[in-house]
């Protein structure tokens, strides 16, 4: 077929569009003879074109050779090149696969003969970095970047006009109904074919309702994961490049976003709510109109349907096309994902994402003519609060498999005639304890339990839509009221008209019933929905509580909590995660959000007994009822607690100071050492964190806590090397060299007339990820500092109190006894409590220089809490649990290293572990960005874990000591899943 200047493709006039059959050898010949470039050609995948990567003899990429489908004419190719240049000019931050040009500006292209006719071949700029294609999970940042690029492309092409845009493509969603009708026969499986046809018909009808209001313009129409290229300097798959303008045409502008969204749906672990960051990002750059928001998800479904039918057809006509064959499974996955929620639900999620949420449905509900339950007054109905904030969820009651039944029975026993739950209020009682997906916790109706018999009556005039075993549906104004009940039978028939007060069902005492209201046009609404999708389902429903005479649920959401925090809370006091869940409850090793989601807590060494331990709660409440004052008063608990604490330490450590935090403890410990030694200089270790007070911060050298830590130390602080046997200067057996080097540094200070008054260090290297100090390290260093009159200060704030499992104190692992021990965190199980334990002689020398007083350190409440923590650690054998469960967890994590090369090593002991992630096990290049992405993915999968270390490449694993084997197995399994989804498995 001859190439005419303005001929453009009409898909429906073609039998098929097989890709040109060009071998690499033929491509090399075309490049050499027609385009003046000698290169080795490597085939690249394409559905309808032939693409080759051209390299020189040294392997350097020169260009991409693109041989267009013979059905595409010169005008279309020129339009594509023009569009690429426009985008590159409008957005220099985007890399674009523009055509390579001769010095005079003409494209480097030619016409070549193929078995299907003459085809246009040209050289395009190669973009390094690789495509986003493949199964790897896409992070929220990657998803948002895809949306931003789609918006920028849409904006850049808005004014483009060109004859080559007047095409009829199978990918133009304006023709999706015809494409599916024409190609659906290529789907051999009848069920799949019917599913595609039905979904197409529904989506097409939805689009047609707003089609006249949808703006049209030039669109790339293929901004998929195959055609968005990763930033070459980014460790994570975040795109900044655009290739393949072969589907450029004029179409609905919103199609640009729809195409991009559809391509996300096959990636590992991606759910529908995960694509919403792309919608928000697109809307930020190029706002969506109301009509476009309405059409967006139906267009995603149409794109998915076209992918399925087109892929099947392409394989049928082009049997050798490996690219098309490989895409079949992921195309079906895209379709399955696109249709797994009803279109009205996804459309409302889209609206909500761009700030156009629907107002709650209230019409015809607020003032029914008669209450729904005859014989039970509203003030005799007990409304159950099953939310995260409810006192009824205390003590782990949310784990009761029938928490609702338990609390309902209690209310009925106390005289209530009935109980009712709250509409739209997430129920913590429905949260699965350990789950990689959120539970369906948000109710779309109200559940009622009857303490006595009642009649369900019509609240107003309506028509009976359904009446059968266990269900009655009637119209209620513009809404549909559904009553479900396992016992009782309707006394009305479908089709009947009822008036206010007419009997519907007679419900005996003890009955359960569920009432729900939905809009008449909505799909069937499930009784419970997951919180991520509640914003899509709830606008299709209304609160039935007013039909019972009850006040509706207050659904005014305070979504500005983070902004309010930033407005009044110093920003240096950071929070975990960019978009954190709102955590308002904890229980043992679980943290619980207001969405009714349970998270496994892997970071909270502040609560060794577990969150909300009843003994601690009872102790605090009991003591606050009696007395809370300062330690200058005479009372028993401070004596009993300090005796117990001192008894846990070896001689001569027998004297206790009580404070409120680890920072205060280290600060005081340093002051004691300096005061007792009479020497102001202090030796500290690199990569350590000790606190925020002046003295504790002065000896903190962690670059993550203070990037200028090493450069801003006061002159009295002297740093020795981090004795990190994994990634330090001396590794493995060579780590034995750290101690002699530290000793030499201490000796040099003394020789210079500045002998150290103190050496301070963590006894188990916590900030570096739970790294054990080399054997004998503290023995040599303590001896050196003492030889020059200084004291050894042990920071046990993180490692102490049994967390290491095999030792109660970290210094025991080193077989040394410090002069001063600083401890906090675990002491109060979340209550602010810290201590410094030293010898009487050191304490007395401090007394000679002044006095010490802490208003709340050692208060009656703090002392009572401290005693309770020690009792519970003993009674529940939590140190033993740290050995048993910690050893199991460490073994599981070490086994994961065989599957995931990104795991460099597993540090630590007991339940004080660190999983270090590296890009190379030889160079140990830290996987910083990868670790951050992994933490975000783990949050989505129900685990709270955070990075630590100077490179933030170590997962700090310090859960409550009560954690059990089921939970640590869940953690290891979820970590395995996340690493696999993120592409780190072998």
């Amino acid at each position: 077929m001859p190439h005419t200047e303005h001929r453009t493709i009409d898909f429906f006039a073609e039998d098929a569009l097989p890709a040109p059959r060009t071998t690499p050898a033929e491509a090399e010949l075309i490049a050499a003879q027609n385009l003046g470039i000698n290169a080795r050609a490597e085939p690249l995948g394409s559905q309808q074109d032939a693409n080759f990567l051209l390299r020189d003899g040294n392997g350097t990429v020169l260009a991409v050779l693109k041989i267009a489908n013979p059905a595409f004419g010169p005008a279309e190719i020129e339009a594509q090149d023009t569009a690429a240049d426009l985008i590159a000019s409008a957005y220099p931050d985007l890399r674009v696969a523009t055509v390579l040009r001769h010095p005079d500006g003409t494209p480097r292209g030619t016409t070549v003969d193929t078995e299907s006719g003459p085809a246009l071949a040209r050289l395009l700029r190669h973009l390094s970095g690789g495509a986003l294609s493949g199964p790897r999970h896409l992070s929220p940042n990657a998803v948002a970047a895809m949306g931003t690029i789609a918006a920028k492309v849409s904006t850049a092409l808005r004014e483009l006009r060109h004859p080559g845009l007047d095409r009829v493509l199978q990918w133009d969603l304006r023709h999706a109904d015809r494409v599916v009708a024409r190609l659906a026969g290529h789907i051999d499986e009848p069920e799949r074919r019917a599913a595609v046809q039905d979904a197409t018909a529904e989506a097409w009808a939805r689009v047609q309702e707003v089609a006249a209001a949808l703006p049209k313009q030039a669109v790339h129409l293929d901004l998929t994961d195959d055609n968005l290229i990763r930033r070459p300097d980014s460790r994570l798959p975040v795109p900044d490049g655009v290739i393949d303008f072969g589907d450029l045409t004029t179409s609905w502008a919103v199609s640009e976003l729809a195409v991009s969204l559809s391509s996300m749906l096959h990636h590992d672990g991606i759910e529908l709510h995960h694509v919403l960051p792309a919608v928000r990002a697109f809307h930020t750059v190029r706002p969506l109109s109301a009509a476009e928001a309405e059409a967006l998800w139906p267009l995603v479904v149409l794109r998915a349907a076209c992918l399925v039918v087109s892929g099947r057809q392409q394989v049928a006509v082009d049997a050798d096309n490996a690219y098309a064959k490989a895409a079949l499974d992921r195309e079906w996955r895209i379709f399955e994902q696109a249709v797994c929620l009803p279109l009205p639900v996804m459309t409302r999620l889209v609206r909500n994402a761009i700030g156009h949420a629907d107002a709650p449905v209230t019409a015809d509900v607020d003032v029914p003519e008669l209450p729904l339950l005859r014989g039970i007054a509203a003030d005799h109905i007990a409304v159950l609060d099953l939310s995260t904030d409810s006192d009824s969820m205390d003590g782990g009651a949310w784990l009761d498999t029938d928490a609702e039944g338990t609390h309902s029975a209690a209310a009925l026993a106390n005289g209530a005639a009935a109980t009712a739950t709250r509409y739209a209020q997430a129920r913590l009682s429905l949260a699965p304890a350990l789950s990689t997906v959120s539970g369906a916790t948000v109710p779309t109706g109200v559940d009622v339990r009857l303490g006595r018999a009642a009649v369900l009556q019509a609240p107003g005039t309506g028509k009976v839509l359904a009446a059968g075993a266990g269900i009655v549906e009637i119209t209620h104004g513009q809404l549909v009221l559904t009553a479900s009940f396992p016992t009782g039978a309707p006394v009305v028939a479908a089709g009947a008209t009822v008036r206010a007060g007419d009997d519907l069902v007679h419900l005996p005492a003890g009955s359960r019933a569920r009432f729900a209201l939905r809009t008449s046009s909505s799909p069937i609404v499930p009784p419970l929905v997951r919180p991520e999708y509640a914003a899509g389902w709830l606008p299709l429903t209304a609160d039935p509580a007013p039909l019972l005479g009850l006040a509706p649920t207050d659904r005014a959401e305070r979504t500005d909590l983070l902004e309010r925090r930033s407005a009044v809370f110093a920003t240096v006091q950071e929070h975990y995660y960019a978009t954190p869940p709102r955590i308002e409850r904890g229980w043992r090793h679980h943290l619980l959000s207001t969405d009714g989601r349970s998270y496994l807590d892997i970071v909270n060494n502040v609560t060794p007994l577990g969150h909300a331990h009843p003994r601690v709660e009872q102790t605090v409440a009991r003591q606050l009822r009696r007395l809370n004052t300062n330690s200058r008063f005479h009372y028993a608990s401070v004596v009993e607690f300090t005796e117990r604490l001192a008894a846990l330490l070896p001689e001569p450590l027998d004297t206790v100071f009580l404070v409120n935090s680890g920072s205060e403890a280290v600060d005081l410990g340093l002051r004691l050492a300096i005061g007792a030694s009479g020497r102001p200089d202090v030796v500290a270790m690199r990569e350590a964190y000790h606190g925020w007070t002046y003295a504790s911060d002065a000896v903190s050298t962690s670059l993550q806590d203070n990037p200028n830590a090493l450069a801003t130390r006061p002159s009295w602080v002297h740093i020795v090397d981090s004795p990190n046997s994994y990634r330090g200067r001396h590794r493995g057996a060579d780590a034995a060299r750290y101690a002699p080097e530290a000793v030499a540094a201490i000796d040099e200070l003394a020789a210079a007339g500045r002998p150290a008054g103190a050496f301070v260090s963590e006894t188990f290297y916590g900030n570096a990820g739970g790294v054990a100090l080399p054997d004998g390290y503290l023995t040599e260093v303590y001896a050196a500092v003492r030889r020059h009159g200084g004291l050894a200060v042990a920071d046990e704030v993180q490692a102490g109190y049994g967390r290491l499992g095999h030792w109660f104190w970290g210094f025991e692992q080193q077989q040394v006894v410090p002069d001063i021990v600083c401890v906090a965190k675990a002491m109060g199980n979340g209550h602010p409590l810290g201590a410094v334990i030293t010898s009487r002689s050191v304490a007395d020398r401090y007394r000679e220089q002044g006095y010490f007083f802490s208003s709340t350190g050692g208060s009656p409440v703090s002392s009572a809490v401290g005693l309770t923590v020690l009792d519970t650690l003993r009674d529940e054998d939590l140190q033993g649990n740290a050995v048993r469960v910690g050893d199991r967890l460490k073994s599981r994590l070490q086994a994961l290293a065989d599957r995931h090369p990104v795991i460099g090593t597993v540090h630590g002991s007991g339940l004080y572990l660190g999983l270090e992630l590296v890009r190379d096990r030889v160079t140990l290049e830290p996987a910083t960005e990868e670790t951050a992405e992994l933490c975000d993915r783990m949050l989505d999968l129900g685990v709270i874990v955070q990075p630590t270390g100077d490179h933030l490449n170590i997962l700090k694993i310090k859960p409550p000591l009560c954690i059990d084997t089921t939970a640590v197995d869940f953690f290891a399994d979820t970590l395995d899943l996340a690493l696999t989804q993120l592409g780190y498995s072998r």
Side-chain angles (χ1 to χ4, degrees):
M1 141 188 347
H3 269 164
T4 57
E5 184 66 26
H6 297 300
R7 179 185 61 80
T8 57
I9 181 70
D10 182 345
F11 168 76
F12 298 101
E14 304 282 344
D15 290 331
L17 294 174
R21 298 182 183 276
T22 306
T23 67
E26 291 169 335
E28 291 169 5
L29 197 61
I30 292 170
Q33 293 185 351
N34 300 84
L35 299 171
I37 184 169
N38 293 308
R40 184 177 74 255
E42 300 173 8
L44 301 172
S46 179
Q47 190 169 54
Q48 295 177 341
D49 301 321
N51 299 321
F52 297 89
L53 188 65
L54 301 181
R55 298 181 184 271
D56 66 14
N58 297 320
T60 302
V61 175
L62 302 175
V64 171
L65 172 63
K66 186 176 188 69
I67 304 172
N69 194 289
F72 303 155
E76 293 165 284
I77 304 304
E78 182 183 89
Q80 293 169 27
D81 294 342
T82 301
D85 289 340
L86 267 176
I87 297 168
S89 175
Y91 293 100
D93 58 314
L94 290 182
R95 296 182 299 143
V96 183
T98 51
V99 68
L100 301 185
R101 298 182 181 274
H102 293 291
D104 63 359
T106 58
R108 295 180 66 180
T110 187
T111 300
V112 298
D113 291 324
T114 72
E115 62 182 35
S116 301
L120 294 170
R122 66 201 196 280
L123 296 178
L124 301 177
R125 175 191 176 193
H126 172 256
L127 305 185
S128 61
L132 293 177
S133 53
R136 189 194 193 279
H137 182 79
L138 296 174
S139 70
N141 286 341
V143 169
M146 292 175 75
T148 296
I149 290 175
K152 289 181 175 180
V153 169
S154 181
T155 302
L157 298 182
R158 182 176 291 163
E159 303 303 325
L160 176 62
R161 306 289 184 271
H162 194 285
L165 297 174
D166 299 328
R167 316 167 79 193
V168 180
L169 297 179
Q170 72 194 96
W171 306 116
D172 184 346
L173 297 179
R174 295 180 300 170
H175 312 304
D177 62 329
R178 297 169 61 197
V179 171
V180 172
R182 176 169 177 162
L183 303 182
H186 290 283
I187 304 177
D188 295 331
E189 307 92 330
E191 290 184 0
R192 288 191 172 188
R193 182 168 61 250
V196 170
Q197 290 171 328
D198 291 346
T200 299
E202 182 187 2
W204 184 255
R206 297 272 182 180
V207 172
Q208 290 309 298
E209 292 174 2
V210 294
L214 297 178
K216 294 184 283 290
Q217 65 167 73
V219 287
H220 180 286
L221 211 59
D222 202 12
L223 295 174
T224 67
D225 55 343
D226 284 335
N227 295 325
L228 294 178
I229 306 301
R230 298 170 50 158
R231 290 175 56 96
D233 59 348
S234 174
R235 292 292 180 177
L236 303 180
V238 177
D240 74 336
V242 178
I243 65 171
D244 196 353
F245 286 74
D247 294 338
L248 185 80
T249 190
T250 296
S251 188
W252 291 315
V254 71
S255 300
E256 203 78 279
L257 177 58
V259 167
S260 195
L261 294 179
S262 68
S263 75
M264 303 171 190
L265 298 180
H266 72 90
H267 286 263
D268 284 351
I270 289 288
E271 295 188 43
L272 297 188
H273 71 89
H274 289 130
V275 308
L276 295 177
V279 176
R280 285 188 284 269
F282 185 98
H283 183 71
T284 298
V285 177
R286 190 278 195 191
L288 293 165
S289 68
E292 288 177 317
E294 193 74 24
L296 179 57
W297 204 259
L299 290 174
V300 171
V301 172
L302 292 174
R303 168 70 177 189
C306 287
L307 283 172
V308 171
V309 298
S310 298
R312 297 298 186 97
Q313 184 242 10
Q314 193 69 27
V315 169
V317 302
D318 195 2
D320 296 331
N321 193 326
Y323 177 86
K325 285 183 178 178
L328 294 180
D329 286 344
R330 75 169 181 262
E331 288 164 351
W332 184 252
R333 170 67 176 158
I334 288 170
F335 175 78
E336 284 184 316
Q337 284 275 74
V339 300
C340 70
L341 279 180
L343 288 174
V345 176
M346 283 307 301
T347 295
R348 281 156 181 81
L349 282 173
V350 168
R351 289 181 191 161
N352 185 69
I354 63 174
H356 295 172
D358 292 29
V361 178
T362 57
D364 304 315
V365 182
D366 291 339
V367 188
E369 294 181 47
L370 291 171
L372 195 54
L373 289 176
R374 185 193 308 146
I376 296 183
D379 56 1
H380 290 166
I381 300 175
V383 179
L384 303 180
D385 183 354
L386 302 172
S387 70
T388 302
D389 286 334
S390 171
D391 289 347
S392 67
M393 295 295 103
D394 287 351
W398 61 280
L399 290 168
D400 181 353
T401 54
D402 188 23
E404 179 185 337
T406 300
H407 293 294
S408 181
L412 295 176
N414 285 332
T419 63
T421 59
R422 288 177 174 162
Y423 162 83
Q425 182 188 68
R427 296 183 192 170
L428 184 61
S429 55
L430 298 173
L434 297 170
S435 177
T436 56
V437 295
S438 61
T441 58
V442 181
T444 57
V446 168
D447 293 303
V448 171
R449 299 192 186 209
L450 299 179
R452 61 173 183 251
V455 175
L456 178 63
Q457 64 182 0
T461 300
K463 182 176 181 181
V464 180
L465 302 178
I471 189 170
V472 168
E473 278 195 347
I474 63 173
T475 60
H476 181 68
Q478 300 301 310
L479 303 174
V480 174
L481 168 64
T482 302
S484 307
F485 36 86
T487 57
V491 295
V492 292
T497 297
V498 292
R499 290 176 175 78
D502 287 353
D503 290 5
L504 300 177
V505 185
H506 297 164
L507 297 172
S511 293
R512 302 181 183 185
R514 182 179 184 277
F515 305 120
L517 286 165
R518 60 180 172 86
T519 60
S520 58
S521 60
S522 76
I524 299 301
V525 179
L528 297 159
V529 297
R530 291 172 58 197
E532 296 92 336
Y533 301 105
W537 284 108
L538 292 178
L540 304 175
T541 69
D543 189 350
L547 298 182
L548 298 168
L550 302 173
T553 299
D554 180 5
R555 292 184 57 202
E557 295 186 39
R558 297 305 302 265
T559 58
D560 62 343
L561 196 61
L562 275 180
E563 289 79 4
R564 288 164 55 202
R565 172 184 172 129
S566 297
V568 297
F569 207 54
T571 55
V572 72
Q573 301 176 89
E574 299 174 348
H575 54 77
Y576 293 143
Y577 306 108
T579 308
R582 182 177 166 187
I583 302 296
E584 296 287 358
R585 180 179 290 277
W587 175 250
R588 291 180 60 80
H589 44 275
H590 306 286
L591 290 170
L592 305 155
S593 77
T594 51
D595 285 336
R597 178 88 192 260
S598 171
Y599 295 92
L600 175 60
D601 180 3
I602 291 295
V603 300
N604 240 309
N605 59 343
V606 175
T607 51
L609 312 185
H611 298 285
H613 197 287
R615 290 177 69 172
V616 176
E617 182 266 332
Q618 291 160 12
T619 294
V620 171
R622 178 178 180 274
Q623 189 60 52
L624 283 175
R625 288 198 304 270
R626 297 184 172 193
L627 173 71
N628 197 29
T629 183
N630 68 67
S631 59
R632 286 179 169 174
F633 287 90
H634 184 45
Y635 48 90
S637 59
V638 71
V639 178
E640 294 168 0
F641 176 50
T642 51
E643 286 176 338
R644 286 277 300 279
L645 189 56
L648 292 169
L649 288 135
E651 291 294 337
L653 303 175
D654 58 4
T655 305
V656 179
F657 294 81
L658 292 178
V659 292
N660 303 292
S661 69
S663 295
E664 291 177 66
V666 173
D667 190 290
L668 177 58
L670 291 172
R671 293 178 63 187
L672 286 171
I674 292 170
S677 67
R679 294 173 170 85
D681 290 275
V682 175
V683 176
M685 290 198 304
R686 189 185 298 265
E687 201 179 349
Y689 174 75
H690 296 289
W692 58 265
T693 65
Y694 176 74
S696 60
D697 176 68
V699 295
S700 294
T701 53
S702 165
L703 297 181
Q704 285 304 323
D705 295 293
N706 178 0
N708 300 311
L710 298 180
T712 59
R713 295 307 87 201
S715 61
W716 52 270
V717 176
H718 310 277
I719 306 302
V720 295
D721 206 356
S722 162
N724 190 322
S725 57
Y726 178 70
R727 71 160 48 255
R729 289 192 306 114
H730 307 309
R731 301 176 182 179
D734 286 346
R737 298 167 60 184
Y738 285 118
E741 290 178 355
V743 168
I746 293 169
D747 289 342
E748 288 173 8
L749 277 174
R754 302 185 66 178
F759 172 82
V760 60
S761 75
E762 294 179 281
T763 54
F764 213 90
Y765 218 2
N767 208 61
V771 180
L773 302 180
D775 289 344
Y777 180 86
L778 289 184
T779 299
E780 295 185 53
V781 176
Y782 280 10
V785 75
R786 287 167 174 161
R787 187 169 63 247
H788 298 293
L791 301 181
V793 180
D795 181 344
E796 292 278 357
V797 171
Q798 295 199 73
Y801 256 58
R803 177 161 293 278
L804 296 173
H806 301 279
W807 309 277
F808 192 85
W809 302 108
F811 63 76
E812 293 175 320
Q813 185 265 342
Q814 287 282 300
Q815 299 180 7
V816 295
V817 177
D819 299 300
I820 298 168
V821 174
C822 308
V823 62
K825 286 194 187 299
M827 293 180 68
N829 203 60
H831 182 83
L833 181 57
V836 177
I837 308 96
T838 186
S839 64
R840 175 64 60 182
S841 62
V842 170
D844 286 347
R845 293 189 66 178
Y846 181 78
R847 181 69 178 90
E848 295 169 2
Q849 303 170 42
Y851 75 101
F852 170 79
F853 173 68
S854 173
S855 293
T856 55
S859 69
V861 168
S862 294
S863 298
V865 167
L867 280 167
T868 299
V869 169
L870 289 176
D871 288 343
T872 309
L873 284 170
R874 177 199 62 210
D875 297 346
E876 297 183 4
D877 188 25
L878 294 183
Q879 183 179 352
N881 193 62
V883 174
R884 295 183 295 272
V885 177
D887 287 355
R888 178 186 180 93
L889 176 55
K890 188 170 185 178
S891 176
R892 289 290 316 270
L893 297 178
Q894 288 169 330
L896 290 182
D898 295 334
R899 287 176 30 79
H900 306 290
V902 73
I903 296 177
T905 192
V906 184
H907 303 294
S909 173
L911 287 171
Y912 195 38
L913 303 176
L915 187 80
E916 182 147 2
L917 304 182
V918 297
R919 293 170 186 152
D920 186 291
R921 288 181 176 175
V922 176
T923 67
L924 303 187
E925 181 183 1
T928 301
E929 292 85 356
E930 295 88 338
T931 304
E933 183 187 35
L934 176 61
C935 289
D936 286 340
R937 183 65 189 134
M938 291 291 283
L939 178 70
D940 199 39
L941 294 171
V943 176
I944 292 179
V945 64
Q946 284 288 300
T948 190
D950 269 3
H951 304 288
L952 290 181
N953 68 311
I954 306 167
L955 298 185
K956 53 183 172 184
I957 301 169
K958 303 179 293 184
L961 298 184
C962 61
I963 195 169
D964 55 29
T965 55
T966 300
V968 298
D969 283 345
F970 173 76
F971 172 61
D973 291 341
T974 304
L975 184 61
D976 186 18
L977 173 64
L979 289 168
T980 300
Q981 291 179 339
L982 294 174
Y984 298 125
S985 57
R986 292 188 190 276

